[in-house]
Amino acid sequence: MSEKKEEYLEAMYRLTDGKKPIKTTEIANYLKVAPPSVTEMMTNLAKDKLVKYVPYKGVTLTEEGIRQGRRITRKHRILERFLSDILNVRKEDTHEQACKMEHVISDEVEEGMCRILSNPKECPHGTEIPECPKYPAGCKKCRSGKNVPLSSLKKGECAILELILADKNTRAKLNSMGILPGTEILVVRRIANGPVCFRACGTEIAVDGEVAKHILVRKKNG
Amino acid sequence: MAKDIEFGYGCNNCRNSRNNKCNRHRHRNRWRFGRPIRIALVGAPTSGKSAIFSRLTGVGVISTNYPGTTVETTSGNVRHKGNEFEITDLPGIYSLSATSEDEKITRDFIFKNKPDVLVNVVDATRLESNLFLTLQLLELGFNLVIALNQIDLASKMGLKIDTKKLSKELGVPVVETVAVKGLGLLQILDECILVAKNMNNSGDRKKRYYFYPFDDHLEDSLKNITSVLPEMASKRTIGIKALEQDEEYLKNVLSNEDFDKIVSIANDEKKKIEKAHPGIPIKDAMLRERHAKAGAIAAFVTEKSKRNKLANIEMLDDILTSPGSGLVILALVLFSMMLLVFYIGGIIEEYIVSIFDALVTNPLQDALSGTHPLLRNVILYSMLGIEAGLGIVIPYIGIFYIFIGILEDTGYLSRAALLLDNACHKFGLHGKAIIPIVLAFGCNVPAILATRTLSSKRERILTGIVATLTPCSARTIVILGLVGKFVSLAAAFSLYAFDVAIIVVVGYVLGKYLPGDKTGLVMEIPILRMPDFVGSLKKSWLRMQEFVYVAFPLIVIGSTILGVLSGLELLDDIQNIFEEPSMLILGLPGFAVTALIIGIIRKEMALEMLAVLGGTMIFTEILTPLQMYVFSLVCIIYVPCIATIAMLKREFGTRDAALITTFTIMLAILIGGSVFRILTIFQVF
């Protein structure tokens, strides 16, 4: 998809949250472009089945259109957070930068930033960041606050694994050992600020402190 | 399958008779396969594949109680009941997805070489997690025989596993084994024969595909995918692989046309499923189902009793891994090991050297006194080389390996890795890197090989560099034999401390600036167990053999070259070239530099050559204490020995091997030069 199309979808998603139809003039005002070019773009998007014309009311996003719009909006707002929180870019400048960057970063980059920021809920301007499309269930889990990182567990505590946020290779390794969301684990040993040893799937596994911070679990009583 | 393979009955003993009624050996006739049955051992790390392999074939491979010991494939042959077997030991894997180096090796081997039977070694104490791989192998339609290993330990833990139930559940034969004691191993071969027989009887490998169902969505998709395939044996496998999007596998088994078709259908199906299970990637969904199934099977066949005889061990484990007592114990273990190695090693070395002198060197010297100097030198120098080799290999390295073998068997090294994980993080490494470094104290060569268990290239190179700077037994001999004997023990220890400091600084700096991914530590902790002393002895013998094969030829060649050079009186010329720069930079005489250059062959030879070139074993006559100190220091740091360089090249490539070598030379000159200057100013000696 071209950058321009993405920009339009993002704008429409922001203006309506994808629900009610919008007039093309509204879009033109928001994006500061001439109305005829909006109409032209809408015809293109309609061909791609991303928007639908609603006679006399304007245009509305299709399901796929909403998905795309949400995806880009999410990237945009995460980028803003990243720029302001990690790179200390001035809050006023983040929007412009993010607008350009959102089209080029891959999903993996977005995921990584989300991890570093420990799953932010809002962009610096206070609007909500849409949930992660890959793990919508997981996203709720990380934001709900009920879940704690594995590293915070003490010896002898039992928990259910909810989400692994660690990098791809580590996740693959844990998965192949049977450590998946839903697995029950029992912490048998731990070294302060360091590795955590836990029993799961009938074996004992050790992960280092960094990995333990990126494994979210729900504590179980008893 | 190739046509030229003969199947059928025949006499095992005379091997000529085609029918099984050979009159001479009638009572021994059994079915036999027309060619060696190819078997591969697969299973999770530390499940005991290597133990089974070396017990069966007599081919020595090293087995330990920490994950990732086997990093290469090894094959051996064995005959049983008239059948030839070609058995291959593979690195341990948790699943068939290839993420680390050793996993790739195993995966490639079983896909490309297609062994007749896979012996899946399953650790009975970790049935649930090990069955996951078993299920994956079954999906792929391999002929499996399951070796349920460590069954004795499982029963001690209060786990009773119903083998028959397990066999019925999985549809493959299951054999109970205790590999370290050699129990049940021949039954594995019996089962393999039966499997091979079935394979033959049913014609073109029409195997009974055992499979367990996934959930309905996945099953429907599988049906849709497989329906477009032409009739073939492994339809289901291809369907599963297509859903997992394992394109590498699919490309190998399918024609281009089929491949494109399958991939596009699989994509559609994937979208459908992901709609039905929102938020769960399809791969994860399949993983989860397999794990759930593995857990269910394990629970079904296992009876747990409350009596766990290993409860005491858990307490011991707590002591070993608590930061306070654990570190003290670790320091004590390593320190006493080093001390014992050098104490016992020293005694044995003296014996060996004096016996060798009395029996070989001295008589030879007398016998050769009248001959041509070239011949005399060549023979005498090579004898000296062999003597040096014997004096090092058997006492120091041998004993070091015995201790390491015991430590490995107990599973203690994994605990050490845990304890030191935090410290290792400062160098951008994780605790697993400790194992190669401990090995490096014995010899750098196996240490570099052991870096394969680390998951990223960056960590491997970093650990490799640290390992090459670690004082191996050969370098310790130079330190003790020169500085320890002729300067003072304190000075020798200060050299050791100095080296450790260098390692720390180099490790820290490189850890900061070496590019590459940092990955986290995920390691299975094996159960602590009593070491097998006989096994440890065998293992250290094996490692010594490896060492002898690599090192001895080099020692003899090096000594011979030196003999030729000195016979032709070229040595003086070479020394003269080095005399000036080395006096200027390091304050060392020319012959010391020649000795160092020879030391590239084997580090301890630097000391031997110093004696030969200087004309005396009493080094105080030819070198000042300061010179000895600088000599030893340079000897520790400069250039890894030839065997290590060869290993570096094999593991990391020519470029990195050359870089590491150059780096160490520069470092040695830099540090040697500065120490020489500083010590001269302060007049320490």
Side-chain angles (χ1 to χ4, degrees):
Chain A
M1 210 186 325
S2 75
E3 220 167 88
K4 222 172 177 179
K5 280 185 186 169
E6 287 189 339
E7 199 66 25
Y8 272 89
L9 287 173
E10 188 194 351
M12 287 176 70
Y13 179 78
R14 285 175 167 213
L15 285 170
T16 65
D17 266 1
K19 275 156 214 152
K20 46 182 201 283
I22 6 165
K23 296 216 165 64
T24 44
T25 45
E26 267 180 80
I27 303 173
N29 282 337
Y30 185 85
L31 286 172
K32 298 190 181 78
V33 288
S37 43
V38 176
T39 320
E40 193 193 332
M41 179 53 87
M42 286 305 132
T43 335
N44 278 336
L45 287 174
K47 262 186 216 155
D48 295 343
K49 290 187 179 142
L50 293 166
V51 297
K52 257 191 301 209
Y53 265 106
V54 184
Y56 309 113
K57 277 184 182 166
V59 279
T60 160
L61 285 166
T62 62
E63 215 172 284
E64 177 65 17
I66 293 175
R67 232 166 49 81
Q68 295 293 345
R70 189 190 290 145
R71 186 175 69 89
I72 296 152
T73 312
R74 176 176 157 82
K75 275 188 181 160
H76 179 98
R77 291 185 179 156
I78 284 186
L79 271 165
E80 283 184 335
R81 257 257 99 86
F82 188 81
L83 290 169
S84 75
D85 290 11
I86 309 284
L87 303 182
N88 291 329
V89 176
R90 276 194 315 159
K91 213 165 143 190
E92 302 86 75
D93 298 342
T94 53
H95 177 78
E96 203 193 319
Q97 288 287 325
C99 261
K100 286 177 191 155
M101 290 164 82
E102 68 197 16
H103 308 290
V104 286
I105 62 165
S106 67
D107 290 355
E108 215 174 343
V109 172
E110 175 213 301
E111 223 181 295
M113 286 195 294
C114 186
R115 193 164 63 229
I116 290 171
L117 295 163
S118 32
N119 317 299
K121 278 181 210 161
E122 289 172 343
C123 82
H125 310 95
T127 39
E128 199 198 330
I129 298 174
E131 280 168 357
C132 175
K134 255 193 188 161
Y135 304 102
C139 221
K140 270 196 198 93
K141 280 175 195 166
C142 1
R143 289 177 182 184
S144 73
K146 268 185 198 163
N147 302 307
V148 291
L150 177 62
S151 54
S152 70
L153 258 55
K154 289 188 203 69
K155 188 184 162 185
E157 280 187 310
C158 205
I160 291 184
L161 196 139
E162 289 286 354
L163 194 64
I164 301 171
L165 297 166
D167 63 283
K168 216 167 94 195
N169 280 343
T170 310
R171 195 160 62 210
K173 182 110 198 234
L174 282 166
N175 283 346
S176 69
M177 288 168 141
I179 312 303
L180 295 160
T183 310
E184 220 181 287
I185 59 177
L186 168 71
V187 176
V188 284
R189 231 179 302 288
R190 57 158 318 156
I191 291 167
N193 302 321
V196 179
C197 290
F198 57 87
R199 280 207 141 262
C201 298
T203 179
E204 194 178 325
I205 292 165
V207 294
D208 67 24
E210 266 315 296
V211 177
K213 270 183 209 156
H214 290 117
I215 295 178
L216 290 183
V217 296
R218 183 160 42 86
K219 267 194 217 175
K220 236 180 113 185
N221 299 326
Chain B
M1 192 178 283
K3 283 264 159 62
D4 56 345
I5 295 159
E6 297 166 9
F7 297 102
Y9 293 81
C11 176
N12 299 324
N13 288 28
C14 46
R15 291 214 154 229
N16 291 322
S17 169
R18 273 269 162 252
N19 62 43
N20 55 356
K21 282 182 185 167
C22 162
N23 289 331
R24 276 167 63 202
H25 308 106
R26 189 182 300 162
H27 58 289
R28 288 186 183 169
N29 286 341
R30 295 186 193 97
W31 182 87
R32 96 182 130 77
F33 206 61
R35 61 169 166 85
I37 302 176
R38 290 180 298 124
I39 297 177
L41 294 162
V42 278
T46 59
S47 57
K49 295 169 299 299
S50 295
I52 290 180
F53 177 78
S54 47
R55 277 274 179 173
L56 273 179
T57 60
V59 173
V61 287
I62 288 159
S63 63
T64 65
N65 193 15
Y66 61 74
T69 309
T70 308
V71 286
E72 288 179 313
T73 62
T74 320
S75 296
N77 292 302
V78 65
R79 269 192 73 177
H80 176 61
K81 294 195 175 164
N83 277 288
E84 300 271 354
F85 292 88
E86 190 189 309
I87 306 180
T88 309
D89 185 25
L90 296 171
I93 51 170
Y94 290 106
S95 77
L96 285 172
S97 62
T99 42
S100 73
E101 193 87 354
D102 34 354
E103 277 177 6
K104 267 179 211 141
I105 294 173
T106 302
R107 191 186 137 106
D108 285 354
F109 184 89
I110 58 175
F111 282 153
K112 287 191 186 130
N113 293 32
K114 296 202 178 73
D116 299 318
V117 188
L118 289 184
V119 173
N120 179 205
V121 183
V122 171
D123 184 350
T125 62
R126 295 175 289 155
L127 189 61
E128 186 184 336
S129 70
N130 280 204
L131 277 180
F132 176 70
L133 179 67
T134 310
L135 292 178
Q136 263 192 328
L137 292 171
L138 283 171
E139 261 171 27
L140 292 174
F142 286 107
N143 290 312
L144 278 197
V145 169
I146 291 178
L148 198 58
N149 198 23
Q150 301 209 51
I151 199 87
D152 56 337
L153 203 61
S155 70
K156 265 190 200 157
M157 285 169 75
L159 302 170
K160 211 178 138 206
I161 297 169
D162 189 334
T163 322
K164 274 190 193 137
K165 243 181 180 174
L166 181 64
S167 168
K168 212 172 157 196
E169 195 65 15
L170 295 173
V172 292
V174 178
V175 182
E176 291 185 7
T177 60
V178 182
V180 285
K181 290 180 189 148
L183 300 177
L185 301 186
L186 291 180
Q187 278 92 303
I188 299 178
L189 295 185
D190 288 346
E191 292 296 341
C192 288
I193 296 176
L194 285 180
V195 170
K197 200 171 172 178
N198 272 337
M199 197 166 90
N200 177 33
N201 285 348
S202 47
D204 191 19
R205 295 190 97 182
K206 207 174 155 200
K207 271 163 296 181
R208 197 158 63 83
Y209 267 84
Y210 172 83
F211 63 85
Y212 58 93
F214 287 106
D215 79 353
D216 289 351
H217 291 294
L218 286 167
E219 279 303 321
D220 287 347
S221 295
L222 276 179
K223 240 178 239 158
N224 289 343
I225 292 173
T226 48
S227 63
V228 299
L229 281 175
E231 198 53 48
M232 62 163 93
S234 48
K235 261 178 150 180
R236 190 181 164 83
T237 312
I238 292 170
I240 290 170
K241 282 285 168 195
L243 274 183
E244 282 181 341
Q245 294 177 305
D246 189 340
E247 297 194 351
E248 203 188 316
Y249 176 85
L250 293 176
K251 260 184 197 149
N252 277 333
V253 291
L254 293 174
S255 62
N256 280 343
E257 202 180 310
D258 282 341
F259 176 77
D260 294 338
K261 212 163 40 175
I262 286 285
V263 168
S264 75
I265 297 176
N267 271 336
D268 293 346
E269 293 298 330
K270 203 182 138 220
K271 271 181 198 150
K272 241 196 266 171
I273 294 174
E274 287 185 351
K275 233 176 213 171
H277 296 265
I280 303 170
I282 189 157
K283 258 188 180 172
D284 285 11
M286 293 171 88
L287 269 178
R288 193 176 295 184
E289 296 227 359
R290 272 186 213 123
H291 279 296
K293 184 77 185 169
I297 295 176
F300 181 59
V301 300
T302 317
E303 228 177 89
K304 272 186 194 166
S305 73
K306 281 200 176 140
R307 244 162 24 107
N308 184 349
K309 286 183 189 164
L310 298 181
N312 297 338
I313 288 183
E314 300 245 318
M315 259 167 59
L316 178 66
D317 224 351
D318 285 346
I319 298 171
L320 288 180
T321 51
S322 84
S325 55
L327 282 176
V328 173
I329 293 172
L330 180 66
L332 276 177
V333 166
L334 290 183
F335 188 69
S336 55
M337 189 173 89
M338 291 294 157
L339 226 58
L340 272 173
V341 165
F342 290 108
Y343 183 69
I344 304 173
I347 297 172
I348 301 175
E349 188 200 4
E350 251 171 58
Y351 273 108
I352 290 175
V353 170
S354 62
I355 291 170
F356 197 84
D357 270 346
L359 292 181
V360 184
T361 324
N362 292 342
L364 259 179
Q365 208 151 16
D366 295 340
L368 292 169
S369 57
T371 53
H372 191 274
L374 187 59
L375 179 73
R376 192 177 62 216
N377 275 339
V378 168
I379 293 176
L380 275 183
Y381 275 48
S382 3
M383 282 305 132
L384 262 183
I386 292 173
E387 186 185 294
L390 284 177
I392 306 297
V393 170
I394 296 173
Y396 295 104
I397 295 176
I399 289 172
F400 178 80
Y401 279 152
I402 292 174
F403 280 112
I404 282 288
I406 292 171
L407 276 188
E408 282 173 345
D409 264 3
T410 57
Y412 180 67
L413 287 179
S414 315
R415 273 81 186 165
L418 267 187
L419 270 177
L420 295 175
D421 187 64
N422 273 354
C424 289
H425 271 269
K426 300 229 155 54
F427 305 107
L429 291 172
H430 52 59
K432 253 186 183 172
I434 272 311
I435 291 164
I437 292 169
V438 169
L439 285 175
F441 277 98
C443 176
N444 291 342
V445 175
I448 289 160
L449 194 62
T451 59
R452 280 206 197 170
T453 51
L454 304 175
S455 38
S456 76
K457 172 113 189 192
R458 175 185 172 278
E459 273 170 76
R460 293 190 57 201
I461 290 197
L462 188 49
T463 314
I465 295 172
V466 171
T468 53
L469 287 172
T470 309
C472 61
S473 44
R475 277 175 265 189
T476 310
I477 287 158
V478 177
I479 299 178
L480 289 182
L482 192 64
V483 176
K485 218 167 180 177
F486 295 102
V487 182
S488 70
L489 264 181
F493 273 106
S494 77
L495 271 175
Y496 238 103
F498 203 46
D499 192 28
V500 173
I502 293 169
I503 290 174
V504 170
V505 172
V506 168
Y508 186 75
V509 173
L510 285 178
K512 269 245 156 88
Y513 297 109
L514 209 62
D517 316 333
K518 293 179 188 177
T519 52
L521 166 86
V522 177
M523 181 174 66
E524 205 171 1
I525 306 285
I527 299 168
L528 275 183
R529 64 172 185 221
M530 278 301 284
D532 167 16
F533 288 100
V534 183
S536 299
L537 276 177
K538 273 190 197 156
K539 209 153 65 178
S540 78
W541 171 234
L542 215 81
R543 283 179 162 154
M544 263 162 66
Q545 275 177 319
E546 266 172 31
F547 189 86
V548 168
Y549 291 143
V550 177
F552 260 65
L554 289 175
I555 293 176
V556 176
I557 291 167
S559 319
T560 315
I561 291 171
L562 202 68
V564 173
L565 285 179
S566 82
L568 297 173
E569 288 172 357
L570 287 172
L571 268 183
D572 286 341
D573 296 342
I574 296 174
Q575 278 168 33
N576 288 338
I577 301 171
F578 288 119
E579 183 82 37
E580 220 169 297
S582 95
M583 268 318 257
L584 192 70
I585 301 169
L586 300 170
L588 291 176
F591 69 89
V593 176
T594 318
L596 283 175
I597 291 172
I598 304 298
I600 297 173
I601 300 169
R602 299 272 331 137
K603 290 250 168 155
E604 75 279 357
M605 274 178 70
L607 192 60
E608 303 287 333
M609 285 308 142
L610 200 61
V612 174
L613 297 168
T616 175
M617 276 295 271
I618 301 156
F619 294 110
T620 36
E621 288 174 6
I622 46 170
L623 292 172
T624 65
L626 175 61
Q627 282 174 328
M628 287 188 223
Y629 196 82
V630 174
F631 179 86
S632 307
L633 188 61
V634 173
C635 188
I636 299 170
I637 308 167
Y638 87 113
V639 189
C641 65
I642 285 187
T644 312
I645 297 177
M647 192 48 106
L648 284 172
K649 181 176 171 288
R650 201 178 104 186
E651 291 299 307
F652 304 142
T654 315
R655 190 181 133 255
D656 289 333
L659 276 178
I660 294 173
T661 311
T662 325
F663 169 72
T664 52
I665 296 176
M666 310 295 270
L667 192 69
I669 294 175
L670 185 75
I671 291 177
S674 4
V675 166
F676 164 63
R677 294 221 146 63
I678 293 166
L679 292 185
T680 322
I681 294 167
F682 290 102
Q683 293 191 320
V684 177
F685 295 112

